[in-house]
């Protein structure tokens, strides 16, 4: 029986680049939004502060080594680095992967998720500003593959049956704009000694679309969003204690609390309770979210998964492991979103409140599924 392999999405953004300097100000990184975050209502836990690794700079090799060791110790098999190739050779945030390739360190498995999406300023309040547009062209395709080939050949790069794993963030967009792109990519892989590519559609799109006909071998499940969506835009969750305290205050003539929050909040226990994974027409890998609060990036336009805990994350791991248990896939990947999306409050790395709580929940949940 194949062992479950946990893969965690990894954001390579924690270092300055000229483009971010131009768009957001000198020295901007994801930490800029994380550090300046403020609570938007009573009880809102912001800012979220990193613990053991601090406000790191990913240009420092020792940080990357520490991350890999931490991930390995708690049951993460490999990282999914976001890969930003916008077309015509335009890339962003490629430095970290380049240094990982050239140095051979950390000695830790990895693969790419091609984040084939136009960058706009929408989450930063600049709705109509296009920062980098995603385009596709035949002329660009070979250059793109040539760039990726040294990574594919690296022994650390994750492969399935001699096929490098490539996750496509938006499989529908590329199908609409360049339907033959990935087919040609696969041909180039075969020409270079592989048995093709193991193409995985990400969790961004619905599971029911039908991915086999698009040439994908696998799909990262969209089940968490499917469970979460019905709870969005409902009235904010109020605990029994808050409710009865408010009633007593009213009866005694004191001012009651206005429970209307300035941001959309859902109750994590309800979402996790509704979470269930279904097979698609290709290999289906469950995706779990430890936590979510993207108000550091988006302010009152953000969304919060409230009343969360490592224990709830452990429950997700148990559900994902149970789903994978009887599957006859060539590999059993369990995907975590994410390792270090700090401005989304979507992290496995230790923070000052929970410490290693979410990593310990991952390790514990995986051990139950063995």
């Amino acid at each position: 029986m194949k062992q479950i392999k946990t893969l965690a999405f990894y954001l390579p953004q924690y270092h300055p680049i000229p483009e971010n300097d131009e768009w957001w100000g000198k020295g901007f990184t994801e930490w800029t939004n994380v550090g300046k975050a403020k609570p938007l209502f009573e009880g809102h836990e912001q800012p979220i502060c990193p613990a053991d690794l601090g406000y790191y700079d990913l240009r420092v090799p020792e940080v990357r080594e520490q991350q890999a060791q931490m991930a390995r110790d708690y049951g993460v098999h490999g990282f999914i680095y976001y890969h930003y190739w916008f077309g015509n050779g335009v890339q962003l945030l490629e430095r970290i992967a380049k240094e990982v390739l050239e140095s051979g360190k950390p000695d830790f498995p990895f693969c790419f998720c091609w984040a084939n999406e136009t960058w706009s300023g929408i989450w930063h309040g600049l709705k109509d500003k296009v920062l980098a547009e995603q385009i596709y062209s035949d002329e660009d395709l070979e250059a793109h593959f040539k760039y990726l080939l040294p990574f594919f050949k690296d022994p650390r790069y994750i492969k399935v049956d001699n096929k490098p794993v490539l996750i496509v963030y938006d499989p529908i967009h590329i199908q609409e704009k360049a339907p033959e792109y990935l087919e040609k990519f696969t041909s180039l892989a075969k020409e270079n000694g592989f048995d093709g590519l193991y193409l995985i559609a990400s969790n961004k799109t619905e599971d029911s679309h039908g991915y086999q006909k698009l040439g994908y071998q696998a799909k990262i499940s969209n089940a968490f969003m499917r469970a979460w969506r019905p709870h969005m835009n409902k009235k904010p969750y109020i605990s029994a204690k808050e409710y009865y305290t408010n009633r007593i205050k009213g009866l005694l003539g004191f001012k009651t609390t206005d429970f209307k929050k300035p941001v959309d909040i859902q109750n994590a226990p309800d979402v996790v309770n509704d979470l269930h994974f279904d097979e698609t027409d290709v290999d289906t890998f469950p995706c779990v979210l430890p936590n979510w609060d993207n108000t550091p990036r988006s302010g009152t336009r953000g969304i919060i998964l409230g009343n969360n805990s490592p224990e709830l994350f452990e429950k997700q791991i148990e559900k994902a492991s149970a789903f994978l248990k009887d599957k006859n896939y060539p590999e059993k990947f369990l995907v975590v979103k994410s390792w270090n999306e700090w401005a989304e409050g979507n992290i496995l790395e230790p923070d000052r409140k929970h410490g290693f709580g979410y990593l310990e929940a991952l390790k514990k949940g995986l051990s139950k599924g063995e």
Side-chain angles (χ1 to χ4, degrees):
M1 182 183 296
K2 288 192 177 290
Q3 189 174 15
I4 291 174
K5 293 180 178 179
T6 302
L7 306 180
F9 282 107
Y10 181 106
L11 182 68
Q13 201 268 15
Y14 299 89
H15 61 95
I17 60 172
E19 293 83 359
N20 276 337
D21 284 351
E22 178 186 346
W23 296 329
W24 311 113
K26 189 71 173 175
F28 176 90
T29 74
E30 198 79 341
W31 295 127
T32 305
N33 289 324
V34 173
K36 71 180 183 182
K38 298 184 184 302
L40 300 179
F41 52 87
E42 187 177 349
H44 185 201
E45 294 175 354
Q46 286 292 348
I48 299 172
C49 300
D52 293 53
L53 297 177
Y55 292 94
Y56 52 73
D57 185 327
L58 284 180
R59 295 173 297 184
V60 179
E62 289 83 359
V63 169
R64 304 194 296 258
E65 290 276 10
Q66 286 176 299
Q67 288 176 317
Q69 188 60 53
M70 190 179 290
R72 186 184 292 112
D73 288 346
Y74 286 89
V76 177
H77 172 75
F79 288 142
I80 303 169
Y81 294 134
Y82 281 113
H83 164 63
Y84 303 95
W85 182 284
F86 293 95
N88 293 334
V90 177
Q91 288 195 78
L92 290 174
L93 300 175
E94 74 278 9
R95 174 173 175 167
I96 303 309
K98 180 175 181 288
E99 292 184 0
V100 167
L101 177 69
E102 292 176 351
S103 68
K105 297 179 180 179
D107 185 12
F108 191 66
F110 70 92
C111 64
F112 281 134
C113 174
W114 178 18
N116 60 320
E117 182 177 59
T118 293
W119 275 19
S120 74
I122 186 168
W123 289 110
H124 301 272
L126 301 176
K127 182 178 180 181
D128 299 321
K129 185 175 178 62
V130 173
L131 305 177
E133 184 179 5
Q134 179 65 58
I135 60 174
Y136 311 95
S137 70
D138 288 342
E139 296 78 18
D140 183 64
L141 187 148
E142 289 197 23
H144 189 188
F145 186 85
K146 185 178 180 180
Y147 169 81
L148 287 172
L149 186 57
F151 294 96
F152 290 166
K153 288 183 174 180
D154 191 285
R156 294 167 296 171
Y157 198 91
I158 299 167
K159 302 173 183 71
V160 176
D161 297 334
N162 195 36
K163 298 175 183 177
V165 168
L166 181 62
I167 299 168
V168 179
Y169 179 72
D170 193 337
I172 309 306
H173 187 264
I174 192 171
Q175 174 63 21
E176 292 174 347
K177 300 293 184 180
E180 297 180 355
Y181 197 105
L182 294 177
E183 184 180 345
K184 293 176 181 177
F185 239 50
T186 299
S187 296
L188 288 171
K190 291 178 179 178
E191 290 173 16
N192 284 276
F194 299 107
D195 292 335
L197 292 174
Y198 191 79
L199 294 171
I200 305 178
S202 88
N203 59 306
K204 172 181 171 63
T205 53
E206 299 294 336
D207 293 346
S208 58
H209 187 80
Y211 295 92
Q212 190 174 55
K213 68 179 183 294
L214 301 183
Y216 290 85
Q217 285 71 54
K219 174 72 171 68
I220 298 176
S221 175
N222 185 250
F224 194 97
M225 181 54 67
R226 198 165 58 243
W228 192 357
R229 196 176 292 120
H231 295 276
M232 292 182 179
N233 299 315
K234 288 185 176 180
K235 290 182 179 180
Y237 170 79
I238 303 171
S239 69
K241 181 180 178 182
E242 288 175 310
Y243 174 78
Y244 285 110
T245 299
N246 218 39
R247 284 199 65 183
I248 292 169
K249 281 183 178 180
L251 290 172
L252 295 175
F254 294 110
K255 183 180 178 182
T256 58
T257 303
D258 179 6
F259 287 112
K260 186 177 181 181
K261 309 294 188 190
V263 65
D264 195 4
I265 309 170
Q266 290 80 47
N267 189 36
D270 293 338
V271 177
V272 173
N273 184 66
D274 292 348
L275 175 65
H276 69 276
F277 301 102
D278 297 315
E279 288 193 78
T280 67
D281 63 346
V282 290
D283 299 346
T284 308
F285 303 130
C287 181
V288 294
L289 273 72
N291 33 50
W292 187 273
D293 178 353
N294 66 343
T295 58
R297 184 182 289 170
S298 305
T300 56
R301 297 175 60 255
I303 301 172
I304 299 172
L305 197 60
N307 303 300
N308 214 343
S309 67
E311 290 73 24
L312 276 177
F313 183 54
E314 183 182 331
K315 184 176 179 181
Q316 289 187 62
I317 300 299
E318 291 173 14
K319 286 189 172 188
S321 299
F323 171 79
L324 286 169
K325 190 171 185 179
D326 62 350
K327 300 298 182 291
N328 189 30
Y329 300 153
E331 292 287 358
K332 293 183 178 181
F333 295 133
L334 191 165
V335 179
V336 178
K337 178 176 167 48
S338 298
W339 175 261
N340 62 341
E341 286 270 13
W342 282 87
E344 293 181 345
N346 179 218
I347 51 172
L348 274 179
E349 290 181 328
D351 65 69
R352 289 188 187 174
K353 178 182 179 181
H354 295 287
F356 282 74
Y358 283 96
L359 282 167
E360 289 169 351
L362 171 65
K363 189 173 185 178
K364 190 175 178 182
L366 289 171
S367 68
K368 290 181 179 179
E370 291 176 352

